[in-house]
Amino acid sequence: MPNGRYLHHDTHDHLPLGEERFSCAPGPAGWRYVSKTYAADGAVLATTDLTLDSRSRPLRLELRSGGWLVRGGAVDGVTWVRTAADGNPEHAAEGHDRAHAFTGSSPAFLIATARLLRLQPGDSSRVRLVAFTDPVLAPRTLDQGWLLESVQTHDTDSGPLQVEQYQVADLETGEQQIVHLAGDVVLAASGIELEELESPPNQWPTEYYA
């Protein structure tokens, strides 16, 4: 079970936005990722708990940030409930979209989207996602284009490591980024830096693609 730490920084001025301490592993349902994101003073900014099913669809999602709570999952597209974290029902709002999955600031969503698409080198695909934007987890639907540019094998002390390089584009704004993945860990992406990793990434089980 990889445990580690990502650093988040602003993509324009590179100012630090926080650090995300995470763990992730395959499980009975498919794959689970849990994390907490901290400010420089140690205050908790956000939490992420994402479980994928055996086909990498979002079986269960729980996000907390800015006094808000979102719970969601895949039901005829994706569905969610956004409410105040204190449980006040007056602020509860349900949402539904015929999107493929969710996305947000956590690297968990890059992993989830890549595994959902199951691209081969040179393949590209378009995916519709519901994003929850920090800090108040407001939902927004967007379309992304994913291209798996290459897969390279690197020798490490723990054995060969396959690194996938993706080009990811926001199809509305045209903004692009390069994402490097290894198994179920993001090595680098726009605004994200892997600072610590206590054990090697899990290789994504090939039976999940059946």
Side-chain angles (χ1 to χ4, degrees), residues 27-210:
W31 180 76
R32 187 180 182 194
Y33 178 103
V34 294
S35 72
K36 288 185 178 182
T37 302
Y38 297 87
D41 62 1
V44 176
L45 297 175
T47 66
T48 300
D49 189 340
L50 173 64
T51 300
L52 305 182
D53 68 12
S54 60
R55 296 185 65 82
S56 300
R57 295 170 298 192
L59 181 65
R60 187 177 71 88
L61 171 68
E62 182 175 299
L63 299 175
R64 293 176 183 268
S65 176
W68 293 92
L69 167 65
V70 167
R71 289 191 174 100
V75 180
D76 190 26
V78 292
T79 187
W80 66 91
V81 176
R82 176 180 176 269
T83 188
D86 61 9
N88 188 337
E90 293 183 4
H91 301 293
E94 298 183 3
H96 174 266
D97 196 288
R98 295 301 298 270
H100 300 95
F102 299 112
T103 191
S105 61
S106 172
F109 296 109
L110 295 173
I111 301 162
T113 303
R115 300 315 170 205
L116 177 69
L117 295 176
R118 305 192 296 272
L119 300 177
Q120 298 296 317
D123 286 352
S124 62
S125 185
R126 178 174 181 151
V127 62
R128 186 175 181 86
L129 303 169
V130 172
F132 295 104
T133 55
D134 294 332
V136 297
L137 302 180
R140 178 175 71 93
T141 302
L142 57 88
D143 293 309
Q144 287 183 343
W146 281 65
L147 167 66
L148 178 52
E149 294 184 319
S150 65
V151 179
Q152 298 183 353
T153 301
H154 299 267
D155 292 328
T156 70
D157 293 340
S158 57
L161 184 69
Q162 284 198 326
V163 177
E164 304 160 20
Q165 178 173 309
Y166 293 87
Q167 183 184 107
V168 181
D170 184 316
L171 297 181
E172 180 180 0
T173 66
E175 185 176 359
Q176 297 184 358
Q177 65 164 315
I178 299 298
V179 177
H180 293 91
L181 299 184
D184 58 357
V185 172
V186 174
L187 302 180
S190 179
I192 297 168
E193 180 182 349
L194 180 64
E195 181 72 6
E196 295 179 5
L197 188 63
E198 295 182 3
S199 58
N202 296 300
Q203 292 302 311
W204 206 260
T206 55
E207 60 266 26
Y208 286 6
Y209 291 173

